[in-house]
Amino acid sequence: MPPTRGFTLSELVVAMAVCAISLAVAAPSFSSLLASQRLIGTSNRVLVEIQSARLLAVHSNNRATICGSDDGETCNGSANWSSGTLTFLDNNRNGRRDALEPALRRLHLEELHGLQIGTSNGRKSLAFTPAGFTAGTNLTLHICAHNRREWRQIIVNLAGRSRVYRPLEPSICAL
């Protein structure tokens, strides 16, 4: 009788136990990796929206404004941008979108993955002049995780240049 090929039941049980233990050890680090990647992706997405607003201002030779928006049609009048953003050409320079001003870009709540985003100095919007400069002072957007820890900042200077700052140690969120 030829020898049978395959695994015994005890070998299968041991292999399954090793796999289960490996998964149990890897799962927490995988979830923290996923959260970290969402944070990086969201920061980069907000940075793209800011840089796009600046480009729109330069290319249209008009003031472009980005603000927090709950519905994607109007500014929410708050320094909290956690519900999404709206970018529009601000023809009359009043800092809010009027009926004849086109909404050009939107960032929706789902794209922010539940992260808290806002300014600490109370600025409700960020406007760029046709020369690409900010119409106001420097702006810092704070990006905070669910545990109220600040993980990233997007800093926009007077010249309109934006950059992402990553603190070495996360601090308590300023929002």
Side-chain angles (χ1 to χ4, degrees):
M1 176 168 200
T4 59
R5 298 183 189 258
F7 298 103
T8 65
L9 182 61
S10 59
E11 289 173 331
L12 285 175
V13 169
V14 169
M16 294 292 285
V18 168
C19 287
I21 291 170
S22 298
L23 284 174
V25 169
S29 60
F30 181 72
S31 64
S32 67
L33 174 68
L34 183 61
S36 172
Q37 290 304 312
R38 280 187 178 150
L39 181 68
I40 292 167
T42 301
S43 330
N44 290 339
R45 182 72 169 93
V46 173
L47 184 64
V48 164
E49 289 300 310
I50 291 170
Q51 291 170 339
S52 295
R54 182 179 186 214
L55 269 169
L56 283 167
V58 171
H59 285 283
S60 67
N61 199 29
N62 198 351
R63 182 180 286 220
T65 299
I66 182 170
C67 62
S69 177
D70 299 329
D71 59 3
E73 294 297 323
T74 59
C75 293
N76 61 14
S78 168
N80 188 343
W81 295 12
S82 301
S83 297
T85 65
L86 169 67
T87 303
F88 61 97
L89 292 178
D90 192 6
N91 298 326
N92 58 5
R93 300 178 179 200
N94 64 356
R96 62 178 189 272
R97 182 173 173 254
D98 297 321
L100 297 177
E101 296 171 335
L104 301 173
R105 295 183 61 95
R106 294 172 179 89
L107 182 62
H108 298 285
L109 174 69
E110 300 82 31
E111 297 173 89
L112 299 176
H113 302 291
L115 297 172
Q116 297 296 310
I117 300 172
T119 64
S120 60
N121 61 356
R123 282 192 53 196
K124 299 171 186 163
S125 63
L126 173 62
F128 291 98
T129 66
F133 297 112
T134 60
T137 60
N138 293 346
L139 174 83
T140 301
L141 275 173
H142 302 273
I143 301 176
C144 304
H146 306 291
N147 60 3
R148 301 288 300 153
R149 292 287 192 191
E150 179 176 41
W151 290 94
R152 295 277 190 284
Q153 293 178 357
I154 297 176
I155 301 166
V156 185
N157 66 19
L158 287 172
R161 294 188 181 198
S162 50
R163 65 182 174 94
V164 175
Y165 170 72
R166 182 178 157 222
L168 295 175
E169 288 293 322
S171 59
I172 299 297
C173 189
L175 302 176

